[in-house]
């Protein structure tokens, strides 16, 4: 694989710290959500993962739709990332991507979702590691 870009970020303080990208474009205060005992006053790794996955998946979806001569410009992706104990002393994640494709019939929408799921780097990274559910909302 030829690497086209490498993102770099530094975190200090873990879930109760700060994250900063090397170019300074991203600086966020981190804090666990209230559901996990935190104040909820910052963002958390699951929110950042949800944003990254949704953005990446939508880009893959737009690329695939264009190849299929389908206008997906009005699409939206809502990404839900859940975290919980994995039963082995650690934690695991699960993802649901809720995709809205206004003006696109269900059969075409399902086809585009599956094709995008094969193209998206996040989907390729998570495949076989965590459950990812694709939901086409009409």
């Amino acid at each position: 694989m030829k690497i086209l870009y490498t993102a770099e970020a530094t975190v200090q303080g873990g879930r109760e710290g700060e994250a900063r990208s090397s170019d300074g474009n991203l600086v966020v205060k981190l804090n666990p959500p209230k559901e996990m005992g935190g104040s909820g006053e910052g963002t958390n790794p699951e929110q950042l993962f949800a944003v990254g996955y949704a953005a990446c998946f939508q880009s893959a979806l737009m690329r695939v739709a264009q190849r299929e001569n389908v206008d997906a410009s009005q699409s939206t992706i809502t990404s839900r990332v859940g975290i919980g104990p994995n039963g082995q002393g650690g934690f695991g994640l699960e993802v649901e991507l809720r995709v809205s494709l206004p003006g696109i019939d269900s059969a075409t929408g399902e086809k585009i979702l599956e094709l995008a799921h094969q193209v998206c780097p996040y989907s390729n990274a998570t495949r076989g590691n965590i459950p990812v559910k694709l939901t086409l909302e009409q």
Side-chain angles (χ1 to χ4, degrees), residues 81-112:
V81 174
I83 182 172
N86 64 9
Q88 301 170 351
F91 289 84
L93 300 174
E94 67 176 26
V95 173
E96 180 182 12
L97 299 176
R98 296 179 179 178
V99 181
S100 174
L101 294 168
I104 299 174
D105 65 88
S106 293
T108 302
E110 292 290 346
K111 178 182 177 183
I112 289 172

Side-chain angles (χ1 to χ4, degrees), residues 23-53:
D23 62 6
N25 287 329
L26 176 69
V27 179
V28 292
K29 177 183 175 186
L30 300 169
N31 202 290
K34 290 180 181 180
E35 296 84 349
M36 293 178 66
S39 70
E41 293 178 3
T43 191
N44 59 68
E46 292 72 37
Q47 288 174 329
L48 295 170
F49 187 75
V51 167
Y53 202 157

